[in-house]
Amino acid sequence: MNSARKYIDLHVHTNYSDGTFTPQEVSRYALEIELAAIAITDHDCVDGILPAMEEAKDRGLEIIPGVELSAEIGDFEVHIIGLLIDWQDSWFNEQLKKIRNARIERMQKMVEKLNSLGIGIKMEEVMALSRDEGAVGRLHLARALHEGGFTHSIRQAFARFIGRPGPCYVKRMIISPKEVIDMIRRVKGIPVFAHPGNMHHDEVIPELVNYGLMGIEVLHIDHNSSASNHYKQLAQEHGLLLSGGSDCHGVGKGYPLMGRVEVPYSFLEKIKEAKKREYEE
Ligand code: AMP
Ligand code: FE
Ligand code: FE
Ligand code: ZN
């Protein structure tokens, strides 16, 4: 491996969920900034993995198959990333398809709530920003609201209407953290607690560990160094692997975040070793 390429990014979205870059653009961008490996972790969708791999093939960029799933715990949610999953598993793909279909129905409800408040947004306008077989979500809706002139910014769309809680927020299909972790483990993935610093519910970590959580995202664009240190310490206490990524959504949140969090390649090496120990020995 080229010694300049020592950083990785284990949390990247494409336009198969709510990122704005195609998988090919994601791979090209990662190559441009000389990352050694990236994980494609779309919400509820794994279809961006193969095109990203094809673009990166023989160019010195490793593509780690991943996914980001959301679980409900009472009135809050946690996001769990699955790394090194067997992404071609047909059972897994069927489950994801059901979750994505439920996202479409949920989007319809959010649009209706907005319409009832006099916001003339149309379902087609939201769906036009999402790929046909992709995972449609609130970031698409926020972009549609902004582009339609209904809000001054994407941020304002969340703050006024679709943030949690907000007048037009609707829950996704309810899946428990145990179900999410089971799903990832069934396809031999490493379940990682995503951006715990954004979730403000560290008390759930022991419960997640009981269900089979194996890692925690200590480095994330929204974690300052004290948050990172805090989660490194928790990782050590609970025997969890360290993960890290930018949560890049292309230009969906302003500008590309890929590579802005310096994640060492050693994190990935340990994750790979854990996968071998857990599933192959
Ligand atoms: P969903 O899974 O459809 O509920 O959408 C959640 C996604 O919306 C997150 O993964 C983020 O990408 C995005 N998101 C949530 N809150 C905000 C916010 N306040 N500003 C920008 N993006 C947000
Ligand atoms: Fe997202
Ligand atoms: Fe997330
Ligand atoms: Zn994410």
Side-chain angles (χ1 to χ4, degrees):
M1 188 177 32
N2 177 343
S3 64
R5 291 192 180 167
K6 55 189 175 182
Y7 292 114
I8 63 174
D9 190 331
L10 297 179
H11 189 162
V12 180
H13 294 269
T14 78
N15 67 345
Y16 280 77
S17 65
D18 53 0
T20 60
F21 289 163
T22 63
Q24 290 85 353
E25 285 169 336
V26 162
S27 285
R28 287 200 290 271
Y29 190 86
L31 282 161
E32 217 175 279
I33 61 173
E34 303 200 323
L35 290 176
I38 57 170
I40 302 291
T41 55
D42 277 310
H43 301 283
D44 306 330
C45 187
V46 292
D47 299 345
I49 294 169
L50 183 62
M53 282 177 172
E54 285 170 348
E55 184 69 25
K57 196 170 188 296
D58 301 326
R59 294 168 75 182
L61 169 69
E62 209 178 322
I63 304 292
I64 305 302
V67 72
E68 182 174 10
L69 302 177
S70 314
E72 295 279 333
I73 310 183
D75 61 354
F76 65 92
E77 61 185 91
V78 293
H79 293 182
I80 307 286
I81 288 177
L83 292 175
L84 293 171
I85 49 171
D86 286 352
W87 55 280
Q88 284 161 313
D89 181 272
S90 59
W91 170 84
F92 191 70
N93 277 270
E94 278 163 31
Q95 300 305 307
L96 294 181
K97 178 88 183 142
K98 279 189 216 159
I99 298 172
R100 293 201 300 274
N101 284 339
R103 277 179 168 277
I104 298 175
E105 288 171 30
R106 173 239 200 177
M107 186 56 67
Q108 186 72 55
K109 290 185 192 151
M110 286 199 283
V111 167
E112 282 163 17
K113 283 196 165 196
L114 284 157
N115 292 163
S116 72
L117 291 185
I119 309 292
I121 189 92
K122 295 196 183 72
M123 184 67 176
E124 306 86 80
E125 292 164 348
V126 184
M127 295 309 284
L129 298 176
S130 162
R131 288 187 62 106
D132 279 350
E133 290 290 312
V136 67
R138 281 183 293 156
L139 196 53
H140 298 105
L141 179 54
R143 281 169 57 203
L145 286 167
H146 175 48
E147 284 170 23
F150 299 109
T151 61
H152 297 303
S153 63
I154 287 175
R155 181 189 286 264
Q156 196 190 32
F158 279 94
R160 281 182 64 181
F161 301 116
I162 59 171
R164 180 173 183 154
C168 303
Y169 175 77
V170 176
K171 280 187 183 180
R172 279 177 307 262
M173 182 175 160
I174 295 181
I175 315 177
S176 72
K178 180 173 189 309
E179 285 173 297
V180 161
I181 292 171
D182 282 347
M183 247 182 98
I184 292 168
R185 294 184 65 111
R186 191 157 154 179
V187 289
K188 300 183 173 150
I190 305 291
V192 172
F193 186 12
H195 43 66
N198 284 346
M199 298 299 176
H200 311 292
H201 283 284
D202 288 1
E203 76 281 2
V204 301
I205 293 174
E207 182 185 341
L208 299 179
V209 171
N210 277 341
Y211 297 145
L213 187 78
M214 295 175 71
I216 185 161
E217 196 171 50
V218 296
L219 301 177
H220 183 273
I221 200 82
D222 296 335
H223 289 180
N224 58 22
S225 61
S226 87
S228 298
N229 287 332
H230 169 69
Y231 289 109
K232 269 182 198 161
Q233 175 133 22
L234 286 184
Q236 206 165 23
E237 281 170 27
H238 293 282
L240 293 168
L241 295 154
L242 309 182
S243 187
S246 66
D247 210 352
C248 183
H249 283 71
V251 292
K253 293 186 179 180
Y255 52 87
L257 301 172
M258 215 189 305
R260 280 174 195 260
V261 179
E262 292 191 342
V263 183
Y265 194 86
S266 61
F267 281 18
L268 180 57
E269 283 168 338
K270 297 225 166 69
I271 289 169
K272 285 178 177 172
E273 286 163 16
K275 166 150 171 136
K276 270 205 184 124
R277 274 199 311 275
E278 190 76 12
Y279 300 111
E280 287 162 31
E281 277 173 4

